[in-house]
Amino acid sequence: MVSLRSTGPLAVGGPLSMHLAGAETNVAIGLARLGHRTAWVGRVSDDELGEFVLRQLRAEGVGTDGVRRDAERPAGLMFLERRTADVTRVRYHRAGSAGSALHTDDVAAPLAAGARVLHLTGITPALSDSARAATTFAARQAAASGATVSLDVNYRAGLWSRAAARAALTPLAGYASIVIASADELDLLAEPGADEPTAVAGLLRRGVRTVLVKLGADGARAYTHDGVQQLAAVPVTAVDTVGAGDAFTAGYLSGHLDGLDLIDRLRRAVALGAFAVTAHGDWEGLPRRDELSLLTGNAAGTTLR
């Protein structure tokens, strides 16, 4: 998507800045900045906005060979308004967008090329019936090939109801090795109203190896068959929380790809989440590998010369 950001209320007008946005692209960029080979698969409009998306991805080292240009549909748009110092509101304009027309045929060839990890979110299947079918196909094919399937619930109330999300995401989670959710999203993968331990236990019984629960400023919990580990967040001055969950996911998947143990994966995940909230934009503040220690190795207000 293309994100148009305002520093004040949209209703009174004012300048907008244009950015690349999207949960999956945020994760891909986060991984690419840490030196991992990544690719994004999807559809973009065949116009200047679609070209903007591709240029941004390529500039960040994300592969785009699996991207289809759609000449019949527009780019999806997301408007963000900084309504107060602490509240940002989002407005989506993505019905009928190129991204919503994602089809199984779009993902078959990139999947056949092979990957160690396939990362999916609950946003894509909310966009359309064809996008939901493509997401399920991708998860099933990747799991069958032995790839690690990562699923971030990423529930968006503006796209579908909790009941519709539960109906689609509960079976999808059956293909996942890693499930990521905030505490209030877990019951979308279980019976309505299920508490955290019950929802997690059900996922582990179904074959999920790791369940990550994002706790925002309180850090995160990681559940496996060996038990649970919790790690506090890195204390920073937050200026923009959009994209923090995607940064967390990128950090965890980076640790997974590097063969780190669970606690060190969590450390990298919370570190990337901290980087994300200290800068404006969904992904712009994410670190390179040689910057990972900046937040943990320096006191607040440090100037490196």
Side-chain angles (χ1 to χ4, degrees):
M1 284 190 304
V2 173
S3 169
L4 299 170
R5 286 174 166 259
S6 169
T7 57
L10 289 171
V12 299
L16 295 169
S17 58
M18 190 162 75
H19 304 261
L20 168 67
E24 298 86 356
T25 53
N26 293 343
V27 172
I29 290 171
L31 285 164
R33 285 200 176 179
L34 294 178
H36 301 283
R37 188 162 61 93
T38 66
W40 180 75
V41 178
R43 289 193 185 198
V44 299
S45 56
D46 192 17
D47 58 13
E48 289 78 9
L49 294 182
E51 186 63 29
F52 171 78
V53 170
L54 292 176
R55 286 171 64 89
Q56 293 289 95
L57 289 171
R58 291 167 182 158
E60 291 296 329
V62 177
T64 59
D65 288 347
V67 178
R68 178 175 175 180
R69 304 295 295 267
D70 191 324
E72 299 179 358
R73 297 174 180 85
L77 299 178
M78 179 173 70
F79 291 85
L80 283 88
E81 61 173 340
R82 190 77 176 273
R83 192 59 189 86
T84 73
D86 299 310
V87 177
T88 297
R89 292 196 299 202
V90 178
R91 298 283 186 267
Y92 292 108
H93 291 261
R94 62 193 310 176
S97 67
S100 71
L102 184 72
H103 191 274
T104 299
D105 292 344
D106 298 327
V107 301
L111 281 170
R116 291 175 62 190
V117 173
L118 171 70
H119 178 64
L120 305 167
T121 79
I123 297 173
T124 307
L127 300 179
S128 67
D129 291 343
S130 69
R132 186 158 51 251
T135 305
T136 301
F137 172 82
R140 183 172 60 245
Q141 293 296 106
S145 73
T148 296
V149 177
S150 164
L151 173 64
D152 188 344
V153 172
N154 246 330
Y155 176 66
R156 297 290 185 266
L159 296 176
W160 55 357
S161 68
R162 293 185 72 86
R166 184 177 293 108
L169 298 182
T170 298
L172 188 62
Y175 299 108
S177 301
I178 302 167
V179 165
I180 306 138
S182 57
D184 64 348
E185 292 173 332
L186 275 172
D187 80 323
L188 295 176
L189 306 175
E191 292 297 319
D195 61 14
E196 184 174 309
T198 301
V200 168
L203 288 166
L204 294 177
R205 282 196 303 270
R206 296 177 62 198
V208 176
R209 295 182 199 142
T210 307
V211 181
L212 301 171
V213 182
K214 298 177 288 187
L215 304 172
D218 293 324
R221 279 190 286 272
Y223 293 87
T224 68
H225 287 288
D226 294 326
V228 59
Q229 296 199 49
Q230 182 161 340
L231 193 66
V234 177
V236 293
T237 301
V239 299
D240 185 352
T241 60
V242 176
D246 303 325
F248 172 90
T249 297
Y252 185 87
L253 293 179
S254 172
H256 169 81
L257 289 166
D258 283 348
L260 303 183
D261 62 21
L262 181 60
I263 194 66
D264 284 335
R265 295 179 196 180
L266 280 177
R267 287 193 181 101
R268 188 171 293 180
V270 298
L272 258 71
F275 270 101
V277 303
T278 58
H280 291 286
D282 287 27
W283 51 267
E284 284 84 343
L286 296 181
R288 300 186 306 269
R289 187 171 286 262
D290 61 0
E291 296 176 316
L292 281 172
S293 63
L294 282 178
L295 293 180
T296 56
N298 298 287
T302 296
T303 299
L304 301 177
R305 300 183 186 275

